[in-house]
Amino acid sequence: MVTNYLSDEEFSMLYRKTEQLQYAKREMVFKQGSPFLYVGFLSEGLVKQSYFNKGKETILSVIKGPALIGGANFFLGDSYFTSFVTLSDCKICLIEVSILKESILKNGLLAFGLTSHVAESFKDSILNFINKSQKQVQGKIAGILLYFADKIFNSNQFDILLSRKEISDFAGCSEENVINTLSKMAKEGIIKINNKKIDILQKEKLGMIFQCG
Amino acid sequence: MVTNYLSDEEFSMLYRKTEQLQYAKREMVFKQGSPFLYVGFLSEGLVKQSYFNKGKETILSVIKGPALIGGANFFLGDSYFTSFVTLSDCKICLIEVSILKESILKNGLLAFGLTSHVAESFKDSILNFINKSQKQVQGKIAGILLYFADKIFNSNQFDILLSRKEISDFAGCSEENVINTLSKMAKEGIIKINNKKIDILQKEKLGMIFQCG
DNA sequence: TTTGAAAACTATAATATTTCATGTTTTAAT
DNA sequence: ATTAAAACATGAAATATTATAGTTTTCAAA
């Protein structure tokens, strides 16, 4: 965690200047292209990170608190590289970039910690893309379902907070393909779907599809 | 450039410990998974960066000197995340990680410079993947050709140093699809191919294919 | 509770991509 | 110069993906 690298003084400095906010589902936290003024500490909730290009959305990741969001922009220029939108109610602290920057220049460890965090999240995104680029749609979708089950909800039964369109923007395929693939999996008894509620019935089989597909 | 952030003392320190090496075409510089001991300063030549997974190669980027290679591993663990292989004869300085690390801890600016460089190259990779995920094969291949023409060789006539298989590992499609697409473009008079030598005849058209395809 | 819009779904047709089989050319080593 | 291996090429069949269009379901506002 980033806070591990802060002295008490630095922490209270940041904390005093910090605003903790409550966000509803589907609120924009940071908008791609707008001035980079805050980094967010997502203490509770789920957020999607996406990139928009010619009206097309690509979802880079779904992030679960506690986590830092927007940190990568520290090293990328003056405006947000991607958008962050809540998928559930969230609690987020906004930390002023100018203040965090001061702390970073004084505290090499904090800088290294932040950087490592940013690099890791980049690495995750890239591994995700590599994975997708080597798989067919059913494999990608199996991967997304397993990700939600194991990394986000720690349960085989969950409410996938993304629409079918969004799942397709995450997987990198058409919406119909997502719908078809999910229906087919349901027919084969691998999952049960009830709108956005998903129940993984045969996890090993789903794992196989992810590995092979 | 990274050297901008070094004091004279630091520079000579690094320089004394540094080995400048001559690499032939198709030599491995850093191997994915091996211990991260050196960062490379590629002063001359071309290098490909790839990730291997279950025997499948994914080419992340083709890098032209002068450039830093392997820097991202600073923030990613103890072994190389990707492999780097020369595509042409190259001159590369190997810089010991332990020594660079010392300099970085002492010099916040150097740290920030290195980090920004790393973040930028991650960003490029991600944009590249996003681009590919939204395009069909002809669009991806057009993009690769334009990249070589504009970013690497500054000429519409060049020797693409990748095999058809490698182009497919870069574009994310099958080898035959690359071959077919290139042949089709040649038949339509958009490019001329003679084995690895490529001549872009109708750049606007290629640009259109890149944009639309 | 009704109603209307958005989202989810389905089937089918059209398109794109991969795979496979086969043959040719190029390259590099002897 | 010869030869084996690798790279390149081609076309056709099989498969995967997208596009189109119409239907049903869901959800929230009136």
Side-chain angles (χ1 to χ4, degrees), chain A residues 75-100:
Chain A
F75 311 103
L76 289 181
D78 298 332
S79 56
Y80 291 103
F81 169 47
T82 54
S83 288
F84 293 84
V85 170
T86 61
L87 295 176
S88 65
D89 293 350
C90 288
K91 283 186 184 143
I92 303 179
C93 282
L94 295 185
I95 303 164
E96 265 187 53
V97 166
S98 53
I99 306 205
L100 187 53

Side-chain angles (χ1 to χ4, degrees), chain A residues 32-44:
Chain A
Q32 176 179 331
S34 70
F36 175 52
L37 300 175
Y38 299 97
V39 161
F41 181 71
L42 172 68
S43 45
E44 238 183 277

Side-chain angles (χ1 to χ4, degrees), chain B residues 50-189:
Chain B
S50 13
Y51 182 86
F52 289 88
N53 182 234
K54 293 192 214 144
K56 279 187 205 158
E57 178 173 9
T58 302
I59 297 184
L60 293 182
S61 59
V62 171
I63 303 159
K64 178 194 183 185
L68 193 71
I69 61 175
N73 296 285
F74 238 98
F75 310 103
L76 289 181
D78 298 332
S79 56
Y80 291 102
F81 169 48
T82 55
S83 288
F84 293 84
V85 170
T86 61
L87 295 176
S88 65
D89 293 349
C90 287
K91 283 186 185 146
I92 304 179
C93 283
L94 295 185
I95 303 164
E96 264 186 52
V97 166
S98 53
I99 306 203
L100 187 53
K101 215 160 216 165
E102 277 177 42
S103 297
I104 278 182
L105 289 178
K106 281 186 230 143
N107 180 341
L109 258 183
L110 174 62
F112 193 79
L114 180 65
T115 304
S116 298
H117 165 86
V118 167
E120 278 298 333
S121 71
F122 269 125
K123 180 182 166 186
D124 286 346
S125 287
I126 286 178
L127 283 176
N128 189 18
F129 273 114
I130 290 175
N131 232 307
K132 289 195 310 187
S133 80
Q134 293 179 346
K135 278 192 201 315
Q136 294 184 309
V137 171
Q138 56 189 51
K140 302 185 200 182
I141 290 177
I144 290 175
L145 296 181
L146 291 170
Y147 178 75
F148 272 93
D150 297 339
K151 299 288 164 60
I152 308 267
F153 293 109
N154 302 309
S155 161
N156 292 331
Q157 205 169 351
F158 55 86
D159 195 336
I160 199 167
L161 297 160
L162 303 172
S163 72
R164 303 297 193 261
K165 180 81 186 68
E166 285 176 312
I167 296 174
S168 78
D169 292 331
F170 200 2
C173 65
S174 71
E175 180 182 1
E176 287 86 347
N177 209 340
V178 170
I179 293 170
N180 278 330
T181 305
L182 287 177
S183 299
K184 203 177 298 173
M185 285 176 175
K187 270 179 205 144
E188 290 171 12

Side-chain angles (χ1 to χ4, degrees), chain A:
Chain A
M1 204 67 277
V2 174
T3 47
N4 293 347
Y5 300 103
L6 288 169
S7 70
D8 288 352
E9 191 196 350
E10 284 168 332
F11 183 78
S12 72
M13 167 77 144
L14 280 174
Y15 195 78
R16 253 182 295 136
K17 294 283 193 170
T18 268
E19 299 194 51
Q20 149 108 277
L21 298 172
Q22 181 75 38
Y23 285 80
K25 200 173 173 171
R26 295 285 166 183
E27 272 194 84
M28 175 81 69
V29 185
F30 303 133
K31 185 176 168 63
Q32 176 179 331
S34 70
F36 175 52
L37 300 175
Y38 299 97
V39 161
F41 181 71
L42 172 68
S43 45
E44 238 183 277
L46 287 181
V47 166
K48 70 167 177 174
Q49 178 184 22
S50 13
Y51 182 86
F52 289 88
N53 182 234
K54 294 193 213 142
K56 280 188 204 158
E57 177 173 9
T58 301
I59 296 184
L60 293 182
S61 59
V62 171
I63 303 159
K64 177 195 183 184
L68 193 72
I69 60 176
N73 295 285
F74 239 97
F75 311 103
L76 289 181
D78 298 332
S79 56
Y80 291 103
F81 169 47
T82 54
S83 288
F84 293 84
V85 170
T86 61
L87 295 176
S88 65
D89 293 350
C90 288
K91 283 186 184 143
I92 303 179
C93 282
L94 295 185
I95 303 164
E96 265 187 53
V97 166
S98 53
I99 306 205
L100 187 53
K101 214 160 216 163
E102 276 176 41
S103 298
I104 278 184
L105 288 178
K106 280 186 229 144
N107 180 342
L109 259 184
L110 174 62
F112 193 78
L114 179 66
T115 303
S116 298
H117 165 84
V118 166
E120 277 299 331
S121 71
F122 270 125
K123 179 183 165 185
D124 287 346
S125 287
I126 286 178
L127 283 176
N128 189 18
F129 274 115
I130 290 175
N131 233 306
K132 289 193 310 188
S133 81
Q134 293 179 348
K135 277 192 200 319
Q136 294 185 307
V137 171
Q138 55 189 53
K140 302 184 201 182
I141 289 176
I144 290 175
L145 295 182
L146 291 170
Y147 178 76
F148 272 92
D150 297 339
K151 299 290 163 59
I152 308 268
F153 294 109
N154 303 310
S155 162
N156 292 331
Q157 205 169 351
F158 54 87
D159 194 336
I160 200 166
L161 298 160
L162 304 172
S163 72
R164 303 298 192 260
K165 180 82 187 67
E166 285 176 312
I167 296 175
S168 76
D169 292 331
F170 199 2
C173 65
S174 69
E175 180 182 0
E176 288 81 357
N177 210 339
V178 170
I179 292 171
N180 278 330
T181 304
L182 287 178
S183 299
K184 203 177 296 173
M185 286 176 175
K187 269 179 205 146
E188 290 172 10
I190 299 169
I191 59 175
K192 211 177 84 184
I193 37 181
N194 183 348
N195 202 4
K196 290 217 171 65
K197 297 215 185 319
I198 293 195
D199 197 345
I200 299 181
L201 303 174
Q202 299 184 255
K203 200 152 186 185
E204 321 73 42
K205 222 169 202 171
L206 202 59
M208 282 294 295
I209 293 173
F210 172 63
Q211 292 298 328
C212 308

Side-chain angles (χ1 to χ4, degrees), chain B residues 197-209:
Chain B
K197 296 214 185 317
I198 293 195
D199 196 345
I200 299 180
L201 303 174
Q202 299 182 255
K203 201 152 186 185
E204 321 73 41
K205 223 169 202 170
L206 202 60
M208 281 294 295
I209 294 173

